[in-house]
Amino acid sequence: MQGGGTPRPGAARPATAEPALRVILRRLREIMGEPGDGQSRLDRIVNQIAVLMVAEVSSIYVQRQDGSLELFATEGLRQPSVHQVHFKKGEGLVGRCAELAEPVNEPDAQNHPAFSYRPETGEEIYSSMLAVPILRAGQVLGVLTVQNRTRREYSDEDVEVLLTTAMVLAEHFSTGAVEGIAAPSEPRSAIGAVLSAQKLSEGLALGHIVLHQPRVVVRELLAEDPNEEAARLDAAMATLIGAIDRMLLRGDMARAGEHREVLESYRMFARDRGWLRRMKDAILAGLTAEAAVEKVQNKARATMMRQGDPFWRERVRDLDDLSDRLMRILAGQAGTAASLEALPEDAIVLARAMGAAELLDYDRSRLRGLIVEEASPQSHVAIVAKALGIAAVGQVRGVMERAEPGDEVVVDADTGEVHIRPSSDLILAYSEKARFRAARQEKYRALRDKPAVSRDGVPFSISINAGLLMDVDHLAQTNADGIGLFRTELQFMVSETFPRLDRQTKMYQAVMDGAGGKPVVFRALDIGGDKTLPYLRQPNEENPAIGWRAIRMALDRPGLFRTQVRALMRAASGRPLHLLIPMVSTVEEIDRLQMMIERERTLLMERGGTPPERLYVGAMIEVPSLLHDMDRLAQRVDFMSVGSNDLMQYLFAADRTNEKVAGRYDNLAVPALRVLRDIRRAADRLGVPVALCGEMAGHPVEAMALAGIGYRSISMSAAAVGPVKAMLMSLDVGRLEGVLASWLDEGGRAPGDMRAALVGFANDHGVSL
Ligand code: PEP
Ligand code: MG
């Protein structure tokens, strides 16, 4: 610990070399065993914390029902202010700590904008403050602080010691030992709540809350015998590793896939000596095995909060999951994860954080929706939720505190809302909406075997976009013509370690086998920008969307690209192979990549391998510079695919990941449609097949416009196939082409609102949107 403060009289650092945590825990245990009432114990506790942390002040604030924080005990602040000083919800640094539920470490607290000065405490003489939340089962019970006169940046060890002390305090509060402190689990209000959320996977779900792996509440924190606790931890660890090994041997896990990869990385983590060592250290300091697991987990989570880096976020999330599993084993509750219990028919799983593997553990037929408090659209669990086709939302602040198992809930991923315990009117309205959607889905399913031909006889090719092995099943479900875009980076994104040659080969082989002879367009790794790989360090860039990404990375790091091409060629072995190059900006890039591809083909043959029956190389049209070099591009590629998501962001200079600007420009506006039409015309003139695989192909109005400017081949998410096919089958393409020409041609009269005009056309001509 760092002793920056002027020691209080009698507050000298203990002379022994015994670790501070151990000393504090020993003292706490003694105090808990001493006679006296709850208040006097708290007084002794703050006194000891101040002494042992070489702080002039130590205080305990308790959270009241209205969310305010009351000063409950202090060493160093003026005693008459105890029970008199209250901070409103979120007020001051103490309120901020409770609101964020994370440590606040301020060397210059007085000058912090959130600082709220209370003259009655006499705290004007203290500069620095460290505040940590007193948490129990995810609920904030209060705040524990230390303060020093001098500017002192509290060390990580200080934070850790205070957090662990807060853990013990939380336990003490929950026993009801301190008068005036209510039991933490106050009955929740029956009145519902509406929380805003971020869409992870589209859809609407009504059902009942199932808590994902209800947290084990650690009851015993302080242990008598460290050796016994260490032995318990070792045994639990062995059980954990054994359980993961057995899961890997399960029949459904034999096939290479996302689930298997995640479990393999869990196995690696579980064997990590550092993790075990940190938990053993905590046991040596006097904690029980359970408390040691929780302490190391809390520390990792606190570290994560400070990291913006997705690499660390994913690492810590895995560790969190493993810690929960370990905790359940220690508590004798192994196997009680919600996924293994009988699920209700309409389960909406609620988790604080969740990994891809855990979601895959659930019985899909009973799973309606998913709410993950901390997940972002780029997280692995979001990618898997999309592949499973369940409504899912993330970034839902406070949902864990508000929802109870069994609560009725509505997840509306499309509007980004979660309704907890909704009123009966709301349930009725949503049930109606859900029924309507289900009926529509039924209608779309009936179209499965009908050819995608427009009302006036124009045939269309509809393919699906995919990225995970499990997506391949959608090909049979939709009866689409093929996979028009296989985003290979998704498998890299859900994998914890870099998939090497053999693993990649197996994955691609499984995808091709699963597609049963239908074409699969594999897109070379498109990472960078918003797509990050947990194990690949990428530089922090000012403008990642126009930074070092996709093929730019492949050109600088040929090993990455060449391994992927090698794996794809091996997987194809005698079958046709379609390889799509993302983010091409110049034709010279294609030349360089073609050379690498050629070298791989030669190498494969020299080694006696079978090359693909035919290799088709295509370019994504998503960087505007290519639009002015189409003839030279056409000489170099076998097909083109328009990536309208990126093309629009570059065309309108509007970051697709920035909500403030992403929806600002309509991709049905005149310039957008003219650009898309020019691409299609150039491709036709040059005799190169062109498809469009951006999100717009999956929206019926947009898909209708695409048909009207000449696109005949489109690729979309599997869920969009039905609605788009229904639209095409009801459309008179020839008539729309005429109308669009009159709007878009030079000298034409484009309506002010193209989208509204297109919807008007659909309504007037019976097009099913
Ligand atoms: C696109 O940019 O339109 C596209 C299909 O690729 P992605 O969304 O993966 O960037
Ligand atoms: Mg793109």
Side-chain angles (χ1 to χ4, degrees):
M1 241 191 327
Q2 174 183 303
T6 314
R8 305 162 52 260
R13 178 183 291 283
T16 64
E18 198 176 5
L21 182 59
R22 198 185 310 179
V23 182
I24 286 196
L25 290 179
R26 186 160 35 76
R27 277 299 297 135
L28 286 177
R29 188 157 359 123
E30 284 162 10
I31 293 171
M32 306 294 186
E34 284 165 10
D37 61 9
Q39 180 71 49
S40 69
R41 270 199 210 106
L42 292 188
D43 293 342
R44 269 172 282 159
I45 289 173
V46 284
N47 167 279
Q48 283 302 302
I49 294 171
V51 170
L52 294 166
M53 291 196 67
V54 198
E56 282 97 6
V57 176
S58 174
S59 312
I60 294 171
Y61 296 82
V62 170
Q63 181 150 312
R64 292 318 206 166
Q65 270 205 339
D66 61 358
S68 69
L69 289 148
E70 176 179 325
L71 178 63
F72 235 76
T74 185
E75 173 71 31
L77 298 183
R78 288 190 193 131
Q79 284 304 323
S81 61
V82 171
H83 298 300
Q84 301 307 316
V85 163
H86 289 84
F87 286 101
K88 286 205 275 303
K89 199 167 187 271
E91 189 190 5
L93 291 175
V94 171
R96 186 178 163 80
C97 169
E99 197 166 62
L100 299 175
E102 61 182 80
V104 168
N105 185 351
E106 277 305 326
D108 191 9
Q110 307 251 352
N111 290 319
H112 191 282
F115 184 77
S116 174
Y117 172 55
R118 293 303 160 86
E120 58 271 44
T121 61
E123 68 180 329
E124 64 275 13
I125 50 174
Y126 304 109
S127 289
S128 48
M129 175 187 265
L130 171 61
V132 301
I134 302 172
L135 284 165
R136 180 138 185 96
Q139 274 184 271
V140 176
L141 307 185
V143 171
L144 174 62
T145 66
V146 287
Q147 290 174 268
N148 281 80
R149 273 176 209 263
T150 51
R151 279 173 65 101
R152 168 177 175 187
E153 168 113 40
Y154 299 92
S155 68
D156 282 353
E157 196 196 341
D158 293 331
V159 178
E160 204 181 329
V161 168
L162 209 61
L163 271 172
T164 311
T165 311
M167 225 166 95
V168 177
L169 268 179
E171 167 63 19
H172 189 52
F173 286 1
S174 71
T175 60
V178 185
E179 304 81 26
I181 299 181
S185 52
E186 283 139 10
R188 288 160 214 232
S189 141
I191 301 162
V194 189
L195 303 174
S196 63
Q198 201 171 5
K199 173 169 84 181
L200 303 182
S201 167
E202 65 184 28
L204 170 69
L206 278 91
H208 291 89
I209 293 273
V210 172
L211 266 196
H212 173 62
Q213 304 187 332
R215 282 186 70 78
V216 174
V217 177
V218 183
R219 303 236 168 263
E220 293 290 327
L221 285 132
L222 304 176
E224 296 293 333
D225 181 356
N227 291 335
E228 194 181 305
E229 295 304 308
R232 285 182 63 228
L233 182 67
D234 283 336
M237 205 59 159
T239 308
L240 176 71
I241 294 173
I244 296 173
D245 286 346
R246 272 195 307 282
M247 277 166 89
L248 278 163
L249 289 175
R250 246 168 42 190
D252 58 341
M253 212 64 75
R255 141 175 126 143
E258 299 78 32
H259 199 173
R260 188 179 175 85
E261 279 167 32
V262 178
L263 280 176
E264 272 172 353
S265 67
Y266 275 17
R267 178 158 61 177
M268 208 174 70
F269 263 109
R271 291 178 194 275
D272 174 14
R273 313 289 319 159
W275 184 37
L276 188 61
R277 184 180 39 74
R278 283 189 290 279
M279 291 189 287
K280 287 266 176 82
D281 285 348
I283 286 176
L284 277 181
L287 293 181
T288 58
E290 288 90 339
V293 175
E294 186 164 311
K295 174 183 170 286
V296 173
Q297 191 178 6
N298 284 343
K299 169 100 191 298
R301 299 194 86 238
T303 312
M304 179 191 85
M305 295 295 186
R306 282 186 265 128
Q307 300 280 350
D309 186 342
F311 174 85
W312 285 112
R313 284 188 170 263
E314 284 298 331
R315 294 283 71 66
V316 174
R317 212 215 41 68
D318 289 342
L319 195 63
D320 227 19
D321 179 23
L322 270 182
S323 304
D324 286 347
R325 287 175 195 239
L326 185 59
M327 191 83 98
R328 283 196 299 279
I329 295 171
L330 279 167
Q333 296 174 12
T336 57
S339 50
L340 304 176
E341 285 174 350
L343 280 185
E345 291 285 346
D346 57 355
I348 301 218
V349 173
L350 168 61
R352 180 166 45 74
M354 191 192 248
E358 297 167 272
L359 179 56
L360 288 161
D361 275 347
Y362 283 90
D363 175 354
R364 171 69 192 91
S365 66
R366 289 164 179 265
L367 193 58
R368 295 279 175 276
L370 176 68
I371 307 168
V372 191
E373 191 172 67
E374 289 173 4
S376 74
Q378 285 80 36
S379 62
H380 301 173
V381 75
I383 295 169
V384 172
K386 251 189 243 165
L388 290 174
I390 54 168
V393 290
Q395 311 282 354
V396 205
R397 274 195 84 138
V399 64
M400 295 297 287
E401 279 74 49
R402 289 189 171 83
E404 291 275 14
D407 274 353
E408 276 196 303
V409 64
V410 172
V411 175
D412 190 341
D414 302 335
T415 59
E417 275 174 0
V418 173
H419 299 264
I420 299 165
R421 298 182 294 275
S423 66
S424 49
D425 286 353
L426 205 84
I427 295 179
L428 212 65
Y430 269 107
S431 310
E432 200 45 50
K433 207 167 153 184
R435 248 196 308 279
F436 180 68
R437 284 170 85 110
R440 259 203 336 220
Q441 288 304 328
E442 199 43 55
K443 186 182 111 190
Y444 299 145
R445 260 195 293 279
L447 299 181
R448 181 189 176 278
D449 298 320
K450 298 223 163 50
V453 176
S454 73
R455 211 165 77 194
D456 53 339
V458 180
F460 283 80
S461 164
I462 297 184
S463 298
I464 58 164
N465 293 348
L468 297 179
L469 193 52
M470 68 179 95
D471 288 330
V472 179
D473 297 342
H474 298 147
L475 200 49
Q477 284 156 16
T478 56
N479 197 20
D481 294 322
I483 298 181
L485 171 66
F486 191 90
R487 294 178 160 109
T488 58
E489 62 275 6
L490 291 199
Q491 287 187 320
F492 281 68
M493 282 160 80
V494 299
S495 175
E496 305 288 336
T497 54
F498 190 86
R500 310 246 165 243
L501 180 66
D502 281 346
R503 218 163 93 204
Q504 285 192 50
T505 309
K506 277 201 197 117
M507 287 194 303
Y508 304 142
Q509 226 158 23
V511 173
M512 286 186 218
D513 293 348
K518 288 187 175 176
V520 181
V521 177
F522 288 96
R523 182 174 69 184
L525 265 187
D526 185 8
I527 41 180
D530 58 321
K531 299 166 186 160
T532 51
L533 298 187
Y535 37 83
L536 197 71
R537 290 240 162 247
Q538 276 162 250
N540 275 338
E541 297 178 296
E542 279 289 316
N543 293 303
I546 50 174
W548 193 59
R549 54 177 294 195
I551 220 60
R552 301 165 181 186
M553 237 157 132
L555 289 165
D556 294 348
R557 288 204 189 163
L560 221 70
F561 180 73
R562 286 180 51 193
T563 304
Q564 190 174 32
V565 171
R566 194 173 303 172
L568 283 165
M569 284 193 183
R570 282 207 206 174
S573 178
R575 297 182 272 197
L577 174 63
H578 294 80
L579 175 62
L580 180 59
I581 314 289
M583 289 291 298
V584 181
S585 313
T586 70
V587 294
E588 286 72 26
E589 289 170 343
I590 293 277
D591 289 340
R592 287 178 57 196
L593 294 169
Q594 289 276 23
M595 270 160 46
M596 289 193 226
I597 295 168
E598 225 16 74
R599 200 170 329 141
E600 284 310 316
R601 199 210 310 249
T602 312
L603 219 67
L604 179 72
M605 290 197 296
E606 279 172 9
R607 290 178 183 164
T610 312
E613 178 208 75
R614 188 166 167 207
L615 176 63
Y616 301 88
V617 176
M620 294 275 300
I621 311 289
E622 46 190 355
V623 180
S625 58
L626 268 194
L627 309 186
H628 305 282
D629 215 359
M630 294 291 274
D631 41 357
R632 290 204 307 150
L633 179 67
Q635 291 162 10
R636 291 163 165 86
V637 295
D638 302 297
F639 65 99
M640 299 178 190
S641 194
V642 182
S644 51
N645 306 337
D646 279 313
L647 182 61
M648 293 303 151
Q649 85 163 332
Y650 300 132
L651 193 64
F652 290 111
D655 182 350
R656 65 192 260 194
T657 64
N658 180 344
E659 277 177 22
K660 283 208 183 74
V661 297
R664 211 171 182 110
Y665 306 96
D666 195 345
N667 49 23
L668 289 182
V670 172
L673 289 182
R674 280 197 178 138
V675 162
L676 292 170
R677 190 174 65 165
D678 288 349
I679 296 171
R680 201 271 308 150
R681 282 180 173 169
D684 284 0
R685 174 172 56 82
L686 297 160
V688 181
V690 65
L692 188 141
C693 62
E695 300 304 318
M696 66 182 290
H699 301 289
V701 191
E702 273 97 328
M704 182 183 87
L706 291 170
I709 54 172
Y711 283 86
R712 297 293 176 259
S713 178
I714 45 181
S715 191
M716 62 203 70
S717 69
V721 170
V724 168
K725 198 167 178 182
M727 179 279 296
L728 288 173
M729 290 172 72
S730 59
L731 173 69
D732 184 335
V733 180
R735 187 187 276 252
L736 176 63
E737 278 179 335
V739 171
L740 271 171
S742 73
W743 290 343
L744 298 175
D745 283 353
E746 200 86 16
R749 277 171 163 254
D753 184 343
M754 284 291 283
R755 180 173 292 273
L758 281 159
V759 172
F761 174 91
N763 291 340
D764 293 347
H765 297 89
V767 183
S768 153
L769 287 187

